[in-house]
């Protein structure tokens, strides 16, 4: 069994608690309980200016302007902006007007000529107007400084009145008339209150002299108003049958016609006298009269004198002191207070019961029974006469959470946290101890009528007893004891059950509803996306299941499929569906409701229902009851069809340079922005008041994709290119799109001429590149040819070098051969000389031994022959010839160096050149080693070679 924390109260505790609450409710409910149109508060913390607001008006583009103690306030539905006067005076009055500029008057004037918006204001020693410029911003123009009236220096302008021909600025003792060009001061009959233009006549209520009428430039006493000399007139309004309604501060109401003045006696006359009427207006919608008082807020009175609504601090006003009243173009009533600004949507088909000290709390159920409205809330059940200002009274014994109130066969049944009750005119009757009766579904079983109840613990059945009154019958067997919050029967008779928290079930019951013979539980993700917060509804005779943000419906086999009715859903946020009467239905969002009437009209209702218990109850054929966190709201189906507000389009408020926000641009036409402006901030708004509005936007030319919904009323774009753009914006209240076209001028480099020049330069560069490429190709070809020629030349040179190398190698080989031959000659000479010397020595030895035995002649002849061959001239000539071949021009160069060199020294030089040793040179030269040393010395001297010089190296280098 499932248990709930709020069930654990003992009977004694509950008795004490509800007794205290009952005493509390009896005290609280002494106040009247009235349903009123929606009331919206704008505190000084919201608009960020002074508390006091002296006057309110609206321009043709539906922007609201308020005269505030800090300056002129502007409100476009998205943001507030303050415009102080040049000298920071208090702005006491404001009037919005449209006029044809003076420059268009005369021969150039046309009926459809564009008009400029002016917001006239007045303060101490100052009056003038704020003019809306091309960029949507206001610029102030002083009229009083131009007129320079001496009387104005000590006066404070408190009121501005407009007639078809003039605008009147007034203090309490001076009036200045402005015709669009000139300002004149009017002579007045003493001190006075506010000038009023009524029924095409200008009335001036004076202090102590009655009422005067302005005719031309003179004031004439209005006949029959002498009795008003002793009172202060606060307002003059048109009334029915040509009458004029005159309100006074403390002396009530009067009707005047054709010189006859009579008091208007209504039930509220004395109350209005006590509370001091300060402002009054007549509503265009139904000619109701609205009186703003100093002490008790606002009274809305029918022309019969019957009270329609009373708004004060207890019913939602921020303050009871009313300083200004204005009806805007959408029939909404704006109230300037001593502390803030309030707005009442008088034309709204929605009226609500929401007070600061709301005794009901959060509402969950409602029913009309026998001319009375019963409301079930978290505090109990309360009752009052339907559509009356009577106070709510608690129903004793039903204190605490109430879930359901329904009328079956003229019996009012109550599903309560503690039990299930029947409410009678004299009290209550407990039908069962079944707790948490969320829902009851009437079922016809044969000839018997039954009620199937979903509760904290399963399903239960009620049927009529012998007295034809509903009574508890039995629980439904086979149903688990789960909290059943929703019951819907499909076309096949099966019952679909929604768990209070988690789960979806389907059951088939016996005809008597006493037991279930089939039970099915749907699980996620096999059967549905999720098991939590599942909702079931029956709409257009079909059953739908909502799981998450997906709507499903069962097929022939009770398998859930995505519903085609919601498959093409264009909403960007999740919603729930509630059904009404006669084909009406609702989309319920978190903070708003879209109502689809049976006549195909769509209404947006700024209501936020209780989360996870969104309840809309058709309490009658004409009224829907909306359960709210703080009270309830009623929607009148019949008046809702009549009071359809025209759909409004968003407006572009400002287009500014993001890098310099003080630089703004035109918001009309198709402006061309300077080339250096590539980042923009665009402010926009929807001048619809009292509703939560979101926006979508896109910048075509940059992206065709719409943004996500946003509460922000501006967007910034950066790095814009030079092109044409279309900025589009739409609101969440309707499908209207506002388009603003603009372009960004190009830099010089982005102009057509620059592009032509750039293209020409590119062409020239391209042509130049072609010529350059051709020239480069020619150079390349020439270089290739040169390289080829060089390659051929190198090849020739290589061949020549190779030939030369071969020749050199051959020459080297020849030289080596010659050198070898020269060496061989020298060696042979040395060997020959050595042999000859050995023979000579041997011959001498033989001679010495033989003496005269060897004849001298033969000895001498043989010796001379040997001597002659040792220093043989033929050998040397052969040696010199070979030496010259090997060492070309050696002797010639040596003779050039040392012309006195002797032949024997030349032979020494040749031996040195061949790098022969002294020992080797001696035989060649035919001298001793000592003789070689002497010759070396002499040669060194002839060559002038120092002792440190290397004679061999010197010979090698020649």
């Amino acid at each position: 069994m499932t248990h709930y924390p709020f069930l654990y109260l003992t009977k004694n505790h509950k008795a004490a608690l509800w007794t205290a609450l009952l005493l509390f409710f009896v005290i609280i409910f002494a106040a009247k309980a009235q349903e009123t149109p929606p009331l919206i508060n704008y505190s000084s913390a919201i608009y960020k200016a002074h508390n006091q607001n002296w006057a309110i008006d609206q321009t043709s583009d539906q922007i609201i302007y308020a005269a505030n103690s800090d300056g002129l306030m502007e409100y476009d539905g998205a943001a507030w902006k303050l415009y102080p006067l040049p000298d920071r005076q208090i702005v006491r009055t404001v009037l919005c007007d449209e006029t044809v500029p003076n420059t268009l008057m005369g021969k150039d004037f046309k009926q459809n000529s564009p008009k400029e918006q002016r917001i006239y204001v007045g303060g101490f020693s100052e009056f003038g107007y704020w003019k809306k410029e091309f960029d949507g911003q206001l610029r102030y123009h002083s009229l009083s400084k131009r007129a320079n009236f001496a009387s104005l220096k000590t006066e404070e302008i408190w009121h501005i009145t407009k007639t078809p021909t003039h605008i009147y600025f007034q203090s309490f003792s001076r009036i200045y008339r402005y015709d669009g060009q000139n300002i004149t001061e009017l002579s007045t009959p003493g001190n006075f209150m506010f000038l009023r233009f009524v029924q095409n006549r200008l009335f001036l209520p004076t202090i102590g002299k009655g009422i005067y009428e302005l005719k031309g430039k003179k004031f004439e006493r209005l006949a029959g108003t002498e009795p008003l000399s002793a009172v202060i007139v606060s307002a003059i309004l048109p009334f029915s049958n040509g009458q004029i309604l005159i309100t006074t501060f403390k002396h009530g109401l009067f009707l005047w016609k054709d010189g006859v003045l009579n008091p208007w006696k209504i039930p509220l006359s004395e109350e209005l006298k006590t509370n001091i009427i300060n402002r009054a207006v007549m509503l265009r919608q139904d000619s109701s009269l609205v009186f703003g008082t100093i002490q008790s807020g606002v009274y809305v009175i029918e022309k019969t004198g019957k009270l329609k609504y009373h708004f004060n601090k207890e019913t939602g006003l921020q303050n009871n002191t009313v300083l200004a009243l204005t009806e805007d173009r959408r029939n909404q009533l704006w109230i300037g207070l001593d502390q803030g600004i309030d707005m009442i949507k008088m034309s709204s088909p929605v009226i609500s019961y929401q007070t600061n000290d709301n005794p009901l709390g959060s509402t969950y159920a409602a029913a009309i029974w026998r001319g009375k409205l019963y409301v079930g809330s978290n505090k109990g059940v309360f009752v009052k006469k339907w559509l009356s200002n009577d106070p709510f009274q608690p129903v004793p014994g039903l204190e605490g959470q109430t879930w359901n109130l329904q009328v079956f066969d003229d019996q009012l049944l109550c599903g309560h946290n503690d039990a299930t009750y029947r409410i009678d005119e004299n009290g209550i009757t407990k039908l069962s101890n079944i707790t948490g009766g969320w829902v009851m579904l009437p079922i016809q079983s044969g000839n018997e009528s039954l009620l199937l109840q979903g509760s904290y613990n399963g399903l239960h059945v009620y049927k009529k007893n012998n007295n034809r009154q509903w009574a508890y019958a039995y629980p439904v067997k086979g149903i688990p004891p789960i909290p059943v919050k929703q019951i819907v029967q499909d076309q096949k008779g099966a019952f679909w059950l929604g768990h209070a928290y988690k789960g979806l079930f389907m059951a088939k019951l016996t005809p008597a509803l006493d037991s279930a013979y089939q039970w099915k539980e749907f699980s996620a993700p096999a059967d549905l996306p999720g098991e939590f917060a599942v909702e079931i509804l029956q709409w257009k005779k079909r059953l739908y299941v909502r799981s998450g943000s997906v709507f499903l419906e069962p097929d022939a086999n009770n398998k859930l499929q995505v519903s085609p009715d919601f498959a093409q859903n264009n909403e960007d946020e999740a919603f729930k569906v509630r059904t009404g009467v006669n084909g009406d239905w609702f989309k319920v969002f978190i903070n708003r409701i879209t109502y689809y009437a049976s006549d195909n009209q769509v209404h947006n209702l700024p209501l936020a229902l209780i989360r996870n218990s969104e309840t809309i109850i058709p309490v009658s054929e004409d009224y829907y009851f909306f359960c709210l966190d703080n009270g309830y709201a009623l929607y009148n189906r019949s008046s809702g069809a009549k009071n359809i507000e025209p759909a409004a389009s968003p407006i572009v408020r400002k287009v500014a340079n993001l890098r310099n926000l003080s630089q703004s641009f035109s918001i009309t036409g198709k402006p061309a922005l300077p080339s250096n402006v590539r980042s923009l901030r665009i402010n926009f708004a929807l001048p619809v008041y009292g509703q939560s509005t979101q926006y979508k936007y896109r910048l075509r030319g940059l992206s065709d994709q719409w943004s996500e919904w946003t509460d922000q009323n501006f967007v910034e774009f950066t790095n814009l290119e030079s092109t044409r753009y279309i900025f589009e914006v739409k609101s969440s209240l309707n499908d209207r799109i506002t388009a603003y076209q603009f372009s960004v001028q190009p830099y010089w480099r982005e102009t057509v001429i620059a592009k032509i020049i750039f293209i020409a330069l590119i062409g020239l560069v391209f042509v130049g590149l072609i010529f350059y490429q051709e020239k480069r190709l020619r150079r390349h070809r020439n270089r290739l040819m040169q390289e080829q020629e060089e390659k051929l030349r190198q090849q020739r040179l290589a061949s020549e070098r190779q030939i030369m190398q071969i020749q050199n190698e051959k020459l080297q080989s020849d030289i080596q051969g010659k050198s070898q031959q020269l060496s061989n000659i020298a060696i042979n000479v040395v060997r020959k000389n050595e042999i000859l010397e050995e023979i000579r020595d041997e011959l001498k030895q033989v001679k010495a031994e033989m003496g005269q035995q060897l004849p001298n002649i033969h000895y001498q002849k043989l010796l001379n022959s040997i001597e002659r061959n040792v220093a043989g001239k033929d050998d040397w000539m052969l040696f010199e010839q070979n030496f010259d071949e090997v060492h070309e021009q050696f002797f010639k160069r040596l003779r050039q160096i040392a012309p006195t060199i002797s032949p024997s020294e030349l032979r020494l030089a040749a031996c040195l050149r061949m790098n022969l040793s002294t020992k080797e040179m001696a035989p060649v030269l035919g001298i001793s080693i000592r003789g070689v040393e002497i010759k070396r010395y002499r040669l060194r001297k002839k060559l002038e070679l120092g002792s440190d010089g290397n004679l061999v190296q010197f010979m090698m280098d020649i």
Side-chain angles (χ1 to χ4, degrees):
M1 178 176 180
T2 305
H3 299 284
Y4 298 87
F6 45 77
L7 298 179
Y8 292 100
L9 287 174
T10 65
K11 292 183 178 179
N12 292 335
H13 288 157
K14 286 192 285 186
L17 176 61
W18 297 126
T19 301
L21 288 174
L22 182 60
L23 292 175
F24 171 76
F25 289 139
V26 169
I27 295 172
I28 288 295
F29 290 167
K32 292 183 177 180
Q34 60 171 342
E35 294 93 356
T36 58
L39 171 64
I40 294 90
N41 300 134
Y42 301 99
S43 66
S44 59
I46 293 175
Y47 58 72
K48 293 179 176 57
H50 200 280
N51 289 331
Q52 294 177 321
N53 298 278
W54 302 98
I56 301 174
D57 205 356
Q58 187 181 38
T59 55
S60 59
D61 56 2
Q62 304 190 45
I63 306 300
I64 294 294
Y65 291 91
N68 183 272
S69 291
D70 283 344
L72 176 69
M73 288 199 308
E74 178 187 67
Y75 182 48
D76 57 14
W80 292 86
K81 186 174 182 179
L82 180 68
Y83 291 92
L85 282 173
D87 296 325
R88 303 277 176 177
Q89 300 100 316
I90 294 174
V91 177
R92 296 290 187 183
T93 180
V94 61
L95 173 73
C96 297
D97 187 33
E98 287 186 338
T99 183
V100 178
N102 293 335
T103 55
L104 297 179
M105 298 298 289
K107 64 179 181 180
D108 296 330
F109 174 73
K110 296 180 180 179
Q111 190 67 30
N112 59 351
S113 297
K115 295 182 178 182
E116 66 180 25
Q117 287 189 354
R118 292 184 177 183
I119 299 94
Y120 293 95
V121 295
F124 185 81
S125 188
E126 175 65 38
F127 63 86
Y129 62 90
W130 296 86
K131 177 184 173 184
K132 186 167 289 188
E133 301 292 347
F134 68 94
D135 59 355
Q137 306 309 294
L138 300 184
R139 308 289 189 275
Y140 185 69
H141 302 265
S142 176
L143 294 174
S144 56
K145 285 183 171 55
R146 186 178 71 183
N148 197 24
F149 289 109
S151 59
L152 186 62
K153 292 181 180 180
T154 58
E155 296 295 327
E156 188 171 23
I157 303 301
W158 278 84
H159 185 63
I160 304 174
T161 302
K162 182 182 183 298
T163 68
T165 57
H166 295 89
I167 292 177
Y168 296 84
F169 300 89
Q170 70 157 98
S171 65
F172 290 117
S173 60
R174 305 283 180 176
I175 296 178
Y176 306 93
R177 184 162 68 181
Y178 176 56
D179 63 4
Q181 293 183 340
N182 301 311
I183 304 173
T184 57
E185 183 177 354
L186 301 181
S187 178
T188 58
N191 295 331
F192 44 81
M193 297 302 291
F194 293 159
L195 189 67
R196 303 293 183 180
F197 185 64
V198 180
Q199 296 177 354
N200 293 319
R201 302 167 71 179
L202 268 174
F203 298 108
L204 182 67
T206 63
I207 298 175
K209 297 181 181 180
I211 298 177
Y212 283 72
E213 182 180 0
L214 179 62
K215 295 183 177 181
K217 292 185 178 181
K218 295 183 178 180
F219 287 96
E220 298 179 5
R221 188 185 295 272
L222 187 65
T225 61
E226 293 81 3
L228 299 177
S229 301
V231 305
I232 297 178
V233 175
S234 57
I236 302 175
L237 301 174
F239 204 69
S240 56
N241 302 321
Q243 299 179 94
I244 291 175
L245 175 65
I246 302 170
T247 69
T248 66
F249 275 13
K250 298 181 180 180
H251 296 81
L253 310 172
F254 296 87
L255 294 174
W256 179 92
K257 182 179 181 182
D258 298 332
V260 178
L261 183 71
N262 294 308
W264 189 35
K265 299 292 186 180
I266 61 174
L268 289 173
S269 292
E270 295 304 316
E271 186 174 341
L272 292 174
K273 289 179 184 180
T274 302
N275 292 323
I276 309 175
I277 300 175
N278 189 39
R279 294 287 186 271
V281 295
M282 177 179 283
L283 301 180
R284 294 186 301 272
Q285 182 181 9
D286 58 2
S287 298
S288 294
L289 300 170
V290 182
F291 300 134
T293 67
I294 295 296
Q295 297 183 359
S296 189
V298 175
Y299 293 83
V300 181
I301 298 173
E302 297 178 357
K303 293 190 73 172
T304 60
K306 179 183 177 182
L307 177 65
K308 192 173 182 181
Y309 305 116
H310 181 202
F311 299 93
N312 54 25
K313 195 168 183 180
E314 293 180 358
T315 57
L317 282 186
Q318 298 178 80
N319 180 258
N320 283 334
T321 301
V322 177
L323 303 179
L325 287 175
T326 297
E327 184 185 18
D328 70 11
R329 295 170 184 265
R330 290 179 175 267
N331 301 321
Q332 298 170 139
L333 181 65
W334 290 84
I335 307 169
L337 300 169
D338 194 52
Q339 294 182 6
I341 296 175
D342 287 347
M343 190 269 286
I344 303 173
K345 304 191 70 170
M346 299 300 298
S347 62
S348 173
V350 176
I351 56 177
S352 60
Y353 179 79
Q354 290 179 293
T355 64
N356 290 338
D357 298 322
N358 173 25
L360 300 182
S362 300
T363 57
Y364 293 86
I368 297 176
W369 182 59
R370 296 184 181 179
K372 294 181 180 180
L373 173 65
Y374 289 81
V375 178
S377 74
N378 61 328
K379 296 181 179 180
V381 179
F382 305 87
V383 60
K384 73 159 190 166
K385 186 179 179 181
W386 171 238
L387 293 180
S388 72
N389 291 335
D390 295 345
F392 272 110
Q393 299 294 338
V395 176
L398 294 181
E399 298 82 4
Q401 179 67 55
T402 302
W403 294 114
N404 185 34
L405 289 171
Q406 286 180 272
V407 177
F408 300 102
D409 297 334
D410 197 35
Q411 297 179 47
L412 178 60
L413 303 187
C414 171
H416 196 273
N417 178 70
D418 297 338
T420 302
Y421 301 90
R422 182 177 64 247
I423 301 175
D424 302 315
E425 291 183 340
N426 299 323
I428 62 173
T429 301
K430 181 185 288 189
L431 301 184
S432 72
N433 290 321
I434 302 303
T435 58
W438 265 308
V439 61
M440 278 189 168
L441 183 68
I443 303 295
Q444 191 68 32
S445 178
N447 295 325
E448 188 176 23
S449 297
L450 303 175
L451 296 178
L452 183 63
Q453 182 186 48
S455 69
Y456 291 162
N457 296 287
L459 297 179
H460 300 267
V461 178
Y462 295 78
K463 61 182 180 180
K464 291 182 179 178
N465 57 21
N466 295 332
N467 297 325
R468 305 301 301 165
Q469 292 183 328
W470 292 105
Y472 180 74
Y474 41 75
V476 179
K477 297 178 181 178
I479 300 296
I482 58 174
V484 179
K485 193 175 183 179
Q486 304 169 74
I487 308 174
V488 175
Q489 187 177 22
D490 63 19
Q491 296 295 316
K492 299 177 182 179
F495 292 92
W496 294 72
L497 310 178
H499 193 284
Y501 308 104
K502 177 187 176 182
L504 174 68
F505 311 92
M506 192 270 291
K508 291 185 179 180
L509 308 182
T510 61
L513 307 182
D514 56 352
S515 61
Y517 63 88
Q518 184 176 342
W519 175 263
K520 180 180 180 180
E521 180 177 353
F522 294 84
S523 60
D527 301 316
L528 68 169
E531 298 179 12
F532 287 91
V534 175
E535 289 195 345
I536 316 168
L537 67 132
Q538 197 166 34
W539 181 41
K540 298 180 181 180
K541 296 183 179 180
R542 295 165 67 180
L543 184 141
Y544 298 89
V545 175
R546 181 182 181 272
S547 175
S549 58
V550 180
F551 287 86
L552 312 166
E553 57 181 315
D555 58 15
N557 299 319
N558 289 328
K559 185 176 181 180
L560 295 176
Q561 306 288 344
V562 175
S563 171
D565 295 337
F566 297 95
Q568 301 298 325
N569 174 32
N570 294 323
E571 300 290 352
D572 293 322
E573 56 180 311
F575 63 89
K576 298 180 179 181
V577 172
R578 297 292 181 266
T579 58
V581 296
N582 301 326
D584 294 351
W585 65 287
F586 305 84
K587 282 184 180 179
V588 180
F589 299 90
I590 292 178
N591 58 356
R592 61 187 174 92
I593 299 172
T594 302
Y595 166 42
Y596 296 85
S598 56
D599 56 2
N600 296 323
Q601 292 183 356
V602 180
H603 307 267
N604 290 298
L605 309 179
L607 297 173
L609 303 184
I610 299 174
R611 294 288 301 276
N612 300 321
S613 187
E614 296 85 353
T615 305
I616 302 174
I617 305 168
V619 291
S620 71
E621 283 294 319
D622 292 331
Y623 282 93
Y624 287 113
F625 185 100
F626 298 88
C627 296
L628 307 179
D629 277 314
N630 180 29
Y632 61 87
L634 297 173
Y635 181 88
N636 189 332
R637 296 179 68 241
S638 58
S639 65
K642 299 176 184 177
N643 299 327
I644 299 177
E645 293 185 359
S649 301
I651 57 176
V652 175
R653 298 283 290 131
K654 184 179 180 181
V655 179
N657 184 354
L658 185 59
R659 308 305 179 197
N660 179 16
L661 293 177
S662 62
Q663 182 184 12
S664 54
F665 310 102
S666 176
I667 58 174
T668 59
K670 301 176 182 179
L673 308 187
S675 59
N676 62 337
V677 178
R678 298 304 174 101
S679 298
L680 289 180
R681 172 181 286 183
I682 301 179
N683 291 71
F684 45 84
L686 182 72
V688 173
Y689 306 99
Q691 298 191 43
S692 177
T693 306
Q694 292 185 312
Y695 304 94
K696 270 188 174 184
Y697 55 82
R698 65 180 176 182
L699 185 62
R700 295 174 60 186
L702 182 65
S703 172
D704 291 335
Q705 185 71 30
W706 287 97
S707 69
E708 298 295 328
W709 287 111
T710 177
D711 297 323
Q712 192 169 274
N713 69 316
F714 68 89
V715 61
E716 296 175 350
F717 299 102
T718 58
N719 300 323
L720 296 178
E721 297 180 355
S722 172
T723 186
R724 291 189 173 274
Y725 296 96
I726 301 177
F727 174 73
E728 294 180 338
V729 59
K730 62 181 179 180
S731 73
S732 57
L733 301 186
N734 54 61
D735 295 327
R736 288 197 170 192
I737 298 175
T738 294
Y740 169 71
Q741 299 185 42
F742 68 94
S743 61
V744 178
Q745 292 182 344
Y747 290 113
W748 184 89
R749 62 178 180 269
E750 297 174 331
T751 60
V752 175
I753 296 175
K755 289 179 180 178
I756 293 173
I757 295 173
F758 182 68
I759 292 172
L761 289 175
I762 291 177
L764 291 175
V765 171
F766 183 72
V767 172
L769 286 174
I770 293 175
F771 282 110
Y772 170 76
Q773 186 70 8
E774 290 182 353
K775 186 176 180 181
R776 193 175 69 86
L777 288 174
R778 284 197 301 271
R779 287 200 305 266
H780 184 64
R781 285 196 298 268
N782 294 335
R783 188 171 63 252
L784 289 177
M785 293 176 65
Q786 291 174 359
E787 288 177 355
Q788 189 68 22
E789 292 176 355
E790 179 67 21
K791 187 175 180 181
L792 293 174
R793 190 178 69 83
Q794 293 295 333
Q795 288 178 352
R796 287 196 300 271
L797 291 174
S799 299
E800 291 175 356
R801 283 195 299 269
Q802 189 174 6
I803 293 171
M804 290 177 65
Q805 184 177 0
I806 293 172
Q807 291 176 347
N808 288 335
E809 289 176 354
K810 184 180 180 181
L811 290 174
Q812 290 294 327
S813 178
D814 292 342
I815 291 171
Q816 288 179 0
K818 293 293 183 180
S819 297
Q820 185 67 35
Q821 187 177 1
L822 186 60
S823 298
N824 291 335
I825 291 171
I827 292 171
N828 290 331
V829 171
V830 171
R831 291 295 302 266
K832 184 192 73 168
N833 290 341
E834 288 178 351
I835 292 171
L836 290 175
E837 286 178 355
E838 287 179 2
I839 294 174
R840 186 184 61 189
D841 292 339
E842 285 291 334
L843 181 61
K844 287 179 179 182
Q845 186 177 357
V846 170
K847 179 67 176 170
E849 289 179 359
M850 292 182 65
Q852 291 300 325
Q853 292 179 359
L854 177 65
N856 285 335
I857 187 167
H858 294 293
Y859 167 74
Q860 195 63 40
K861 184 179 179 180
L862 182 60
L863 183 62
N864 288 337
S865 177
I866 292 173
E867 290 291 343
R868 187 174 56 252
N869 282 294
V870 169
K873 186 176 182 181
D874 293 335
D875 290 334
W876 177 250
M877 288 179 63
L878 180 61
F879 175 83
E880 184 176 3
Q881 182 181 355
N882 285 289
F883 187 88
D884 279 338
E885 289 179 3
V886 176
H887 304 284
E888 185 179 2
Q889 302 294 323
F890 173 73
F891 295 124
K892 184 178 180 180
R893 288 195 298 270
L894 186 59
R895 287 189 183 99
Q896 290 175 354
I897 296 172
T900 61
I901 193 168
S902 64
S904 61
E905 291 173 341
L906 287 175
R907 296 187 192 100
L908 175 63
C911 292
L912 291 172
R913 172 89 172 185
M914 293 178 60
N915 201 18
L916 298 178
S917 65
T918 302
K919 185 178 181 181
E920 291 172 332
M921 285 188 284
V924 174
L925 297 176
I927 59 176
S928 64
I929 293 175
R930 175 65 178 168
V932 174
E933 292 295 336
I934 293 171
K935 283 185 177 292
R936 284 175 65 108
Y937 173 75
R938 290 174 181 172
L939 181 60
R940 181 184 294 271
K941 196 171 183 182
K942 283 185 179 182
L943 295 175
E944 298 179 354
L945 188 64
S947 58
D948 56 344
N950 190 328
L951 185 59
V952 176
Q953 186 64 41
F954 180 82
M955 294 303 169
M956 298 288 286
D957 293 336
I958 294 177

